[in-house]
Amino acid sequence: MDILIVELNRVCIYTVPKHISYSEEEFKSKGDYFKAIGYKEENGKIESIDDYTERLSRYMKLYGALVQTEVGGFQNLHGLREGWASLPRFLNTLPANILTATALDSFLEMAGYTLYCRYKNQFEKLLNIIACDFLNALQEGGVESRSTKLSKVKMLI
């Protein structure tokens, strides 16, 4: 499980959770930045944001499935407790944008019900914070917040 989680963290920075901001001093080009946050490059071209967000969604769903997996007789070291602890870190440290909204939606889609069953009132409070703070931050996000893809993700959340 440790090796799987390490590989998942390597290919999807939002499972850590962490975010890398673009800086001209740190990156030679936007392409280098995109590669640093996980975009794939094939034949010298960086993948589209649609392809990246789809892949990001799949990785976060896999992470959500892993944290809720319990095998009789074995303790999952990356179980619900770690999944639960990652949500406040995710909300407190990552900017609200299309990528983080997609990651949050995908994780909650896969692990949300199990987290609710375990943490009930605390989970409801966290959902309230997501609805009030995270979604409002998405609305204040400028041009990006007007995209139909972002609107769809907001509705799903």
Side-chain angles (χ1 to χ4, degrees):
M1 182 67 90
D2 289 341
I3 293 170
L4 183 59
I5 294 294
V6 166
E7 283 300 308
L8 193 55
N9 289 343
R10 187 182 62 76
V11 296
C12 181
I13 63 173
Y14 297 108
T15 59
V16 173
K18 74 175 181 179
H19 180 75
I20 300 171
S21 296
Y22 177 72
S23 150
E24 288 183 6
E25 297 91 38
E26 193 171 338
F27 299 101
K28 295 176 185 171
S29 68
K30 284 270 192 178
D32 289 341
Y33 168 70
F34 289 139
K35 286 188 266 184
I37 64 170
Y39 279 69
K40 286 187 176 179
E41 180 181 14
E42 288 186 26
N43 301 326
K45 290 185 76 175
I46 301 289
E47 72 182 318
S48 71
I49 190 167
D50 293 338
D51 292 342
Y52 178 66
T53 54
E54 181 62 34
R55 201 164 39 82
L56 169 68
S57 175
R58 284 186 252 137
Y59 287 141
M60 290 304 292
K61 286 178 182 178
L62 175 59
Y63 181 63
L66 290 173
V67 300
Q68 65 180 332
T69 301
E70 293 182 3
V71 179
F74 295 97
Q75 181 182 1
N76 182 355
L77 298 177
H78 301 280
L80 275 182
R81 187 175 50 181
E82 285 70 24
W84 174 250
S86 74
L87 280 173
R89 285 194 307 265
F90 187 97
L91 294 169
N92 288 327
T93 60
L94 302 182
N97 60 37
I98 184 69
L99 300 177
T100 56
T102 299
L104 179 63
D105 171 58
S106 298
F107 179 77
L108 290 176
E109 181 181 337
M110 191 55 66
Y113 179 73
T114 307
L115 288 168
Y116 171 75
C117 289
R118 172 79 53 89
Y119 296 103
K120 297 198 187 337
N121 290 339
Q122 293 91 345
F123 186 73
E124 289 176 7
K125 289 176 186 176
L126 188 69
L127 288 179
N128 190 36
I129 290 168
I130 291 169
C132 293
D133 297 340
F134 187 79
L135 294 180
N136 283 337
L138 283 173
Q139 286 178 331
E140 297 167 1
V143 176
E144 183 182 14
S145 67
R146 291 188 275 276
S147 77
T148 56
K149 289 181 179 87
L150 188 57
S151 298
K152 180 183 174 188
V153 172
K154 285 169 52 177
M155 291 299 296
L156 290 170
I157 291 175

